[in-house]
Amino acid sequence: MKQQFLFLNQVAFIGNIAFIVTMIMHYSGPIFQNKDLESYWLVAGHAVIILNIYLLLNLIFKRSFIQLAPKWLIGFNGSLLLLEAIYFLSL
């Protein structure tokens, strides 16, 4: 379970990058010529909020997991969760 926490943080990092790309596409228009690739980034960018909530709940209830992932990774994922929540609540 502990190694899974580190792996899920790394997956969330990639998903958060997808969320940033999604925000860029939302405000500036399509940036990919391939519609399938664009759809992938949109789904990954929006679905990562579920993973971020899961990781946050694990950090709250199992504090021993904090030492497993780098602090910058946990901070990045947490700050993007805040931005994602603000974005989804403003829709």
Side-chain angles (χ1 to χ4, degrees), residues 11 29 42 46 59 67 84-85 89:
V11 170
L42 287 171
H46 287 98
L59 279 176
Q67 293 105 11
E84 291 163 0
L89 290 175

Side-chain angles (χ1 to χ4, degrees), residues 3-15:
Q3 291 296 342
Q4 182 184 14
F5 181 74
L6 177 60
F7 174 73
L8 289 176
N9 265 297
Q10 294 167 345
V11 170
F13 177 77
I14 295 168

Side-chain angles (χ1 to χ4, degrees), residues 5-25 32 37 40-52 55 72-78 80-81 84:
F5 181 74
L6 177 60
F7 174 73
L8 289 176
N9 265 297
Q10 294 167 345
V11 170
F13 177 77
I14 295 168
N16 286 327
I17 298 298
F19 177 75
I20 292 170
V21 171
T22 300
M23 291 294 91
I24 291 170
M25 288 190 310
F32 298 110
L37 184 62
Y40 167 78
W41 283 99
L42 287 171
V43 169
H46 287 98
V48 74
I49 191 167
I50 297 166
L51 179 58
N52 278 337
L55 291 172
W72 67 268
L73 184 59
I74 293 173
F76 180 79
N77 290 339
L80 263 286
L81 174 62
E84 291 163 0

